[in-house]
Amino acid sequence: MAAAVSITSVAFIISLTRYFDISVIYYVAALSLGTACHFMILRKLDHMSAYLFWFITIILHIGVLFGVALYEDDYYRFIWDGWHVLQGTPYGKAPAIFYTDANIPEYLWPILDNVNNPEVPTIYGPTLQFIFAFTYYVAGTDPTGLRIIFALINLILIIILSRRYPLHKVALYAWCPLVVVEIIIHIHPDAIMAALLATGLYIMHRYPLLAGALWGAAAATKIIALAAWPLMLRYSKKTVIAALISLFLLYGYFALLGSSLGFESTSTFANEWLFNPMGFDLLSLILPQNITRLAAAIIGITLIMLIHARTRNKEHPPLAAIFAIILFFAPAVNSWYMIWILPFAINSRQIWPFVAASIIPLSYITGLTLDTETLREFEVHPIAWSIEAIAITAALFYDFINARQNNNQTLLHSTAIDKPKIAVIIPALNEAQSIGNVVQSIDKTLKDIGHNAHIIVVDNGSHDKTAQIASQAGAHIINESERGYGAACLAGIAALPQDNNIILFIDADGSDVPEEAVNLINPIINGKADMVIGSRALGIMEAGAMTLPQRFGNWLSTRLVHLIWQKKITDLGPFRAIRRDALDQLAMADRDFGWTIEMQVKAIQQHMRVLESPANYRKRIGKSKISGTVKGVMGAGTKILYVIGREAYFR
């Protein structure tokens, strides 16, 4: 049934373009309904024969070679650019300036006369220009050459997708009427960028240099491919370097031939062109016209970076959502832009990409195709635009409700600890004035609730009697000469006996209240949490216990965590307890000021149950190594922000 729907709808569209003088309404109805039925049937499948998949895929790609581009004429520009590349560079030269050039070959005049927007130089990237040149060299001015090349590239994309996903999911893209019509009948090159990105993603682990080169070529195809680049930070520096070199070489070739690289035309397109906008239209209603485009760009980039920060699955990143944001805030949205999205949406449970692909052909209903004076040439009919907006909004709302229901399910369930064995780690540097009382107080507190704790004081290179006093108070002393809060904590963890199953961290300066340790330990013993943070923000803070820069840094860091990982926290306080197995799972590595934020972020990323308990906070005894100096404050703040950025974009 799925095969029949795809073949029938595509065959009907081909016949409409070749044999009938039809209204655009019939054409759009065939494309939109065929795509919608295709998706509805295929999304119900759970398997597909490889023979059937490839047979239908090949039939579709061959059949559409015989279609006619009724409503698109971009391919004239591709042919013109291909000829120009063989002569030198197509950049910076508007086709209109050649209207009186007697040196233009006679067989090129029909091509030149039909180039759209002839007063604007080409905007197509270097990768496309080389493909246009090759196609022109092989096929001349016959658009069939472009159709064949684009069909072959799309088949390569389908092969890559078939190596990563089940065939019944790949068919959502490979058999899609919108895809084959836009790529082959209408001759749009958008599958080239998608193929380069998908191939690079497929080989990223094994061949990082080649993957980077492909992603550089993707950005040189369409600049919006740069929106996927932050993903490379999670793999290897080599990948990023290879991408930059590839991009530089592709643009560099044309830079040597002329001063322009097409960016001025891209700017003209971005600043002046308006067609079928979605979110951009909403912004234009509430913002002055002169800043709408800038605001759309800023909002779009911010949302894209947030998506990258929240992305944990490197193998199946949300590229569909990233490109959808670009389209949502773009001033021009054409139906073939869905080819950026669909290859990366086939493994998703969400329905919005498929609803959007089914409904976006309505954008062909314009003043130009209707041949009416009531609409401007490139103005989409208000009814068509309204149907698009309503359908896509409804699909997004449906996906949002489903996502909320899934997120409300508990991912992990901690089990109660029958025989808790508690260890206390106290990093210390020149804390002779306070360490004795801290050790004795925490020991007494835990004994009062029936636990004989193993207390470790990690001497982080003290010049006073910290180690001696702590030993006299009953603590086990570990020496760690490398300065750094994280280094001291890691040394303490390394010295833990194997049978300790709850670890409590507390500062040595007397600022934390040891008697409150029970509030951190009990939720773990009872199986209600994997980690509990003593939140100073929720407790009572003594005047002067935290400086203004500390308060601001704490506020900023917790807000960033909430923004990026959707987990509300109030404090990065060092007074905390954690299950031993959970701590081992975190694989802590930071050796200085980033220790506390690393622990919290990794716990959130791994879906551990993290609770906060109100913790009172007192003025420390002695001088702070962090808040007591400008260097310490700047160092700690910078490192905490670095760790947040590292965990968001590099892990």
Side-chain angles (χ1 to χ4, degrees), residues 495-508:
L496 288 172
Q498 289 298 319
D499 60 349
N500 285 126
N501 48 28
I502 298 176
I503 316 301
L504 176 71
F505 295 89
I506 186 170
D507 273 356

Side-chain angles (χ1 to χ4, degrees), residues 36-75:
C37 292
H38 154 82
F39 285 137
M40 285 189 290
I41 296 171
L42 279 179
R43 280 179 63 83
K44 296 180 180 180
L45 298 183
D46 57 8
H47 68 280
M48 180 176 288
S49 160
Y51 294 106
L52 178 64
F53 172 82
W54 288 111
F55 177 75
I56 301 301
T57 299
I58 297 300
I59 289 296
L60 287 172
H61 281 70
I62 292 175
V64 288
L65 291 174
F66 300 98
V68 176
L70 286 183
Y71 303 110
E72 294 297 332
D73 55 8
D74 287 350
Y75 63 90

Side-chain angles (χ1 to χ4, degrees), residues 133-403:
F134 172 78
T135 307
Y136 181 87
Y137 181 80
V138 173
T141 60
D142 188 348
T144 303
L146 286 168
R147 286 195 169 96
I148 293 173
I149 292 296
F150 290 177
L152 290 174
I153 292 173
N154 195 52
L155 286 171
I156 292 173
L157 170 58
I158 292 168
I159 291 171
I160 295 298
L161 294 175
S162 70
R163 302 294 297 271
R164 304 186 70 220
Y165 305 107
L167 291 181
H168 66 278
K169 291 188 175 183
V170 181
L172 286 167
Y173 175 81
W175 296 4
C176 177
L178 176 77
V179 169
V180 293
V181 166
E182 292 295 0
I183 293 174
I184 305 172
I185 293 182
H186 288 164
I187 321 180
H188 288 296
D190 297 80
I192 297 171
M193 181 192 75
L196 290 167
L197 289 176
T199 305
L201 193 61
Y202 177 60
I203 65 173
M204 194 79 76
H205 275 301
R206 290 171 294 171
Y207 308 105
L209 290 177
L210 179 57
L214 292 176
W215 277 37
T221 302
K222 286 185 175 288
I223 202 68
I224 57 105
L226 289 175
W229 275 32
L231 182 67
M232 290 189 290
L233 299 175
R234 301 185 189 279
Y235 284 91
S236 167
K237 292 180 181 178
K238 295 179 181 179
T239 309
V240 179
I241 294 171
L244 290 170
I245 292 173
S246 173
L247 185 63
F248 175 80
L249 290 176
L250 286 165
Y251 271 104
Y253 171 82
F254 290 101
L256 294 174
L257 299 177
S259 59
S260 173
L261 292 174
F263 295 127
E264 74 285 356
S265 299
T266 302
S267 176
T268 299
F269 176 83
N271 291 321
E272 297 180 9
W273 194 247
L274 191 68
F275 177 76
N276 194 37
M278 298 293 175
F280 183 87
D281 244 5
L282 299 177
L283 285 178
S284 66
L285 295 176
I286 59 177
L287 295 174
Q289 186 174 358
N290 59 337
I291 67 169
T292 300
R293 293 174 190 265
L294 177 61
I298 292 173
I299 295 172
I301 291 171
T302 301
L303 291 175
I304 288 169
M305 294 308 294
L306 279 175
I307 288 177
H308 276 296
R310 294 174 183 174
T311 298
R312 303 267 60 86
N313 191 336
K314 295 190 294 186
E315 305 303 320
H316 306 286
L319 293 181
I322 288 169
F323 291 129
I325 287 174
I326 293 175
L327 293 188
F328 185 76
F329 289 103
V333 180
N334 293 295
S335 62
W336 56 90
Y337 291 172
M338 288 304 302
I339 297 166
W340 308 348
I341 294 174
L342 290 177
F344 308 106
I346 57 176
N347 198 44
S348 171
R349 295 180 180 179
Q350 297 176 325
I351 66 168
W352 67 262
F354 309 106
V355 171
S358 301
I359 209 70
I360 202 169
L362 292 176
S363 62
Y364 277 110
I365 304 176
T366 65
L368 181 64
T369 58
L370 288 175
D371 194 21
T372 176
E373 296 182 358
T374 59
L375 295 173
R376 297 187 301 275
E377 275 193 343
F378 294 103
E379 180 183 0
V380 176
H381 195 285
I383 295 178
W385 186 92
S386 299
I387 295 173
E388 283 184 283
I390 292 170
I392 294 173
T393 301
L396 288 170
F397 182 73
Y398 175 86
D399 288 334
F400 174 74
I401 296 299
N402 277 350

Side-chain angles (χ1 to χ4, degrees), residues 378-609:
F378 294 103
E379 180 183 0
V380 176
H381 195 285
I383 295 178
W385 186 92
S386 299
I387 295 173
E388 283 184 283
I390 292 170
I392 294 173
T393 301
L396 288 170
F397 182 73
Y398 175 86
D399 288 334
F400 174 74
I401 296 299
N402 277 350
R404 286 200 63 178
Q405 290 175 347
N406 292 333
N407 289 337
N408 287 336
Q409 298 176 0
T410 302
L411 297 176
L412 292 179
H413 297 275
S414 299
T415 56
I417 298 177
D418 294 331
K419 297 179 180 180
K421 292 189 176 181
I422 301 168
V424 182
I425 295 177
I426 310 175
L429 174 60
N430 296 325
E431 305 289 4
Q433 294 175 277
S434 56
I435 189 64
N437 183 60
V438 171
V439 171
Q440 291 171 354
S441 297
I442 195 66
D443 185 48
K444 181 179 183 303
T445 297
L446 295 176
K447 283 181 178 177
D448 287 345
I449 59 173
H451 303 295
N452 289 314
H454 181 73
I455 301 175
I456 296 175
V457 171
V458 184
D459 185 5
N460 203 202
S462 300
H463 300 304
D464 60 11
K465 295 183 178 181
T466 295
Q468 181 181 346
I469 295 172
S471 179
Q472 292 172 352
H476 178 64
I477 307 301
I478 298 296
N479 293 303
E480 174 54 66
S481 58
E482 180 188 347
R483 293 288 180 89
Y485 184 84
C489 290
L490 288 169
I493 293 169
L496 288 172
Q498 289 298 319
D499 60 349
N500 285 126
N501 48 28
I502 298 176
I503 316 301
L504 176 71
F505 295 89
I506 186 170
D507 273 356
D509 57 15
S511 55
D512 298 319
V513 182
E515 291 76 16
E516 295 177 348
V518 63
N519 299 330
L520 310 186
I521 293 170
N522 279 345
I524 297 176
I525 294 175
N526 297 333
K528 295 180 179 179
D530 297 299
M531 181 168 71
V532 182
I533 307 296
S535 172
R536 299 165 294 186
L538 298 179
I540 299 173
M541 191 177 300
E542 187 175 282
M546 288 182 70
T547 64
L548 185 60
Q550 282 180 298
R551 290 174 182 266
F552 174 75
N554 204 54
W555 175 86
L556 177 61
S557 301
T558 56
R559 294 307 181 276
L560 286 174
V561 170
H562 187 202
L563 181 66
I564 295 171
W565 289 286
Q566 294 294 283
K567 174 68 175 180
K568 186 175 182 180
I569 64 173
T570 62
D571 193 15
L572 309 181
F575 193 24
R576 56 185 60 197
I578 185 170
R579 293 173 62 106
R580 175 69 176 273
D581 53 358
L583 181 60
D584 292 341
Q585 185 177 325
L586 294 181
M588 294 293 295
D590 197 89
R591 303 189 70 81
D592 48 50
F593 304 124
W595 170 271
T596 56
I597 186 63
E598 181 190 30
M599 183 184 290
Q600 283 167 269
V601 167
K602 283 185 172 180
I604 292 169
Q605 290 172 343
Q606 296 183 32
H607 306 292
M608 293 181 182
R609 293 198 296 176

